[in-house]
Amino acid sequence: MNALLVELLTEELPPKALKKLGEAFAAGIRDGLAARKLLAAGSVATAYATPRRLAVHITQVAAVGPDEARRDKVLPVSVALGADGTPQPPLIKKLAAMGLSEADLPKLTRAMDGKAEALFHEYTAPGQTLADALQAVLTDTVAKLPIPKVMFYERDDGTAVNFVRPAHKLIALHGSQVVPVSVLGLQAGNVTLGHRFHCEDELVIASADTYASSLREHGRVVAGFAERRASIEAQLKHLGRGDEVIAPDSLLDEVTALVEWPVVYECHFEREFLEVPQECLILTMQTNQKYFATQKEGKLTNRFLIVSNIETTDPSQIIGGNERVVRPRLADARFFFTQDKKLKLADRLPKLASVVYHNKLGSQGERNERVVKIAKAIAESLGADANKAMRAAMLSKADLVTDMVGEFPELQGTMGRYYALHDGEDTEVAEAIKEHYQPRFAGDALPATVTGTIVALADKLETLAGLFAIGQLPTGDKDPFALRRHAIGILRILIDGKLTDRQSNQGVTLTWLINQALYAGFPPAVRGAEGDEVESKKASIRSFLFDRLRVLMTDAGASVAEVEAVLSGKDLSGGTIDRVLEVPARLEAVRAFAALPESQALAAANKRIGNILKKAEGEAPSGVDTALLKEPAEQALHTAMHGATPIADKLFANGEYTASLRELASLRGPVDAFFDGVMVNAEDPALRNNRLALLKQLHEAMNRVADLSKLAA
């Protein structure tokens, strides 16, 4: 078995899509050949992707696939043969279509096919050749590439082609032999091109195994995406000379996709630009020029690093050219910053009235007023400074109408903080303007200030309530308003921020928050008519939040059964869980309970009790008449419950959920004895109802922290 190489040489591919294109190209060919049984068990596929090529190298590829035993159904016997066994016209026609004749009739076998007997043709099919298989696989792979935008072009021969970029050459080598395949109007050969500037001549690839080394040594091309990325990272670190190089993964991937022979050079800009907030300078360098900024002890330096596609002994022209290019960009940022500071954030608020938020929800100005109301209510509930929360909420979107944010939308909030500090606003108000967008993504930090926490929660609640009210719910994988992210943010703030209502000294309830959001200023036409309509919307929002909570908990390592057990538990009043702050502690208690030797028996008993109560006619009485406890086992259970339940209830009320469940675990013996020795559905109605009442009390006690029946195996 020899190695196989397939390369498609193109014009410069879109950098943001290159990594995925390279992976998909390699995976498509590997999987297609594997499905046709042309790869050995130990075959290894290596993907290559540069700005001008997609390629894959696969070890241990067979020239011909193994022969296969086939069994093709011909026709049902009732159709194929007459009563005397003679072949009928449909059979003759079918045989001809299969490349057989009447002479092959003796080779056919008869066997049952379901309830009817049929004729089958059994034979050994020769294995598929690599050329035939690769042709089909290559065509299919190219057609299914995740191309962000297909372009149309005409080849020299006039044929029309649709592909991500014009393709110029195709290599298909099995060992050193060319595999005769074609795609996009190209015939396979063994010739490619090296670096656009460092290698002018065509490059002949002698064999599949010499591909990467030939490109590197003679073509000045590093074919592997990961290898080029690692080289860039190493060079950045070396030229950083102890400074921190700001190199986000997205920028590293994009720059890696722009060069075939990466060389890093050091450049500088004038120190006067450092007067501009460093976030602005970093973003303009990254977004517009793909440069890597550097900082020392958290402060931006006037050095930046560039990744060039050209290696030279005198890089002065490259360095000078990039320094000239970045200067006007930084000057623009300085101009925007200077101009924006001339008008206070508070004075920009009227402009929000002309910024459309949503055609059914009004302007950003109207939205701002709703966020202010929600923030005020939350601050008062938490016992925080309501004036600060309202001020921060009011100013939170004012930077949307600044020049800097107009140029760089990613800086919203960040610039608001700078401008608020410049305007003399309270420091915590300024920080809250920046923090209210947090968390922006999974794993992002939560707001650090109380005011920032309140405004972040208010902002996300308003978004969720408004869009749910007008029916703009996420569907499938489509979530244009990032409502799932907003919901996760709300839950993380409530749980990780440990938000506690000052009056109850317990976690803030979702019901209260949803009410505040819906009644913050949405008109009845949006909120819905009072009664079933508005209650339905509240329930929908709550259900959505709990769905996200399930995701959060399972991502944290909890099982689906554990999560469902907790979310089916009861609050202090006996209703459904409404304070999500309790959920992690309950989940910890359930996981501790599940580790106890009594857990499975009690979970199974709890499930059994639930089924008994569901089947019982009418609702079981709540009180137990001790005089009707006739059997020793039911008397023992009642006594055990009388001792354990009050303790468990007190622990539950104090939030000591693990201890509460451990106390209930002591009931395992009496519960087992009860089911072994007591007939619940006694003929005497009084006895039956009394036993149901006993089980009802037990069921309620066991299911307060969590519905333990969900843990039953």
Side-chain angles (χ1 to χ4, degrees), residues 441-461:
F441 50 85
D444 190 22
L446 294 178
T449 65
V450 173
T451 302
T453 298
I454 292 168
V455 180
L457 186 56
D459 182 70
K460 291 168 176 58
L461 281 166

Side-chain angles (χ1 to χ4, degrees), residues 225-338:
F225 189 96
E227 187 180 356
R228 287 199 313 283
R229 194 181 194 274
S231 173
I232 291 170
E233 287 187 279
Q235 292 182 65
L236 289 173
K237 183 177 181 181
H238 175 71
L239 281 181
R241 295 198 299 273
D243 289 351
E244 179 191 354
V245 180
I246 304 171
D249 287 339
S250 58
L251 181 59
L252 276 170
D253 283 344
E254 188 173 358
V255 170
T256 301
L258 287 168
V259 296
E260 291 194 315
W261 190 259
V263 184
V264 177
Y265 298 114
E266 178 182 336
C267 303
H268 297 80
F269 59 82
E270 290 76 5
R271 289 184 178 276
E272 62 193 61
F273 289 120
L274 294 175
E275 298 171 1
V276 180
Q278 65 181 40
E279 293 91 341
C280 308
L281 304 181
I282 293 169
L283 192 61
T284 193
M285 284 190 278
Q286 291 179 349
T287 304
N288 295 317
Q289 308 304 138
K290 315 306 174 191
Y291 296 158
F292 295 86
T294 63
Q295 59 184 14
K296 192 177 189 68
E297 297 178 355
K299 293 185 178 181
L300 192 69
T301 73
N302 68 324
R303 291 197 310 135
F304 63 95
L305 304 178
I306 66 167
V307 180
S308 174
N309 199 31
I310 298 175
E311 184 175 21
T312 176
T313 55
D314 180 14
S316 58
Q317 288 189 341
I318 295 174
I319 293 171
N322 281 279
E323 290 177 343
R324 284 192 300 274
V325 168
V326 80
R327 194 171 294 117
R329 293 289 189 180
L330 301 182
D332 286 345
R334 181 173 60 182
F335 174 77
F336 294 145
F337 184 56
T338 302

Side-chain angles (χ1 to χ4, degrees), residues 72-96:
D72 297 339
K73 180 181 175 181
V74 182
L75 283 174
V77 171
S78 60
V79 176
L81 303 175
D84 58 356
T86 57
Q88 299 299 299
L91 177 59
I92 305 302
K93 186 177 180 180
K94 180 69 173 180
L95 289 174

Side-chain angles (χ1 to χ4, degrees), residues 139-187:
T139 301
D140 185 59
T141 297
V142 169
K144 292 180 179 178
L145 286 177
I147 297 172
K149 189 174 182 180
V150 177
M151 71 173 291
F152 167 86
Y153 66 94
E154 241 184 40
R155 290 185 44 78
D156 293 339
D157 59 6
T159 56
V161 180
N162 291 315
F163 195 52
V164 59
R165 291 292 185 270
H168 296 302
K169 292 182 182 294
L170 174 67
I171 291 180
L173 287 175
H174 187 223
S176 59
Q177 299 298 311
V178 173
V179 184
V181 294
S182 63
V183 74
L184 302 175
L186 302 171
Q187 298 296 322

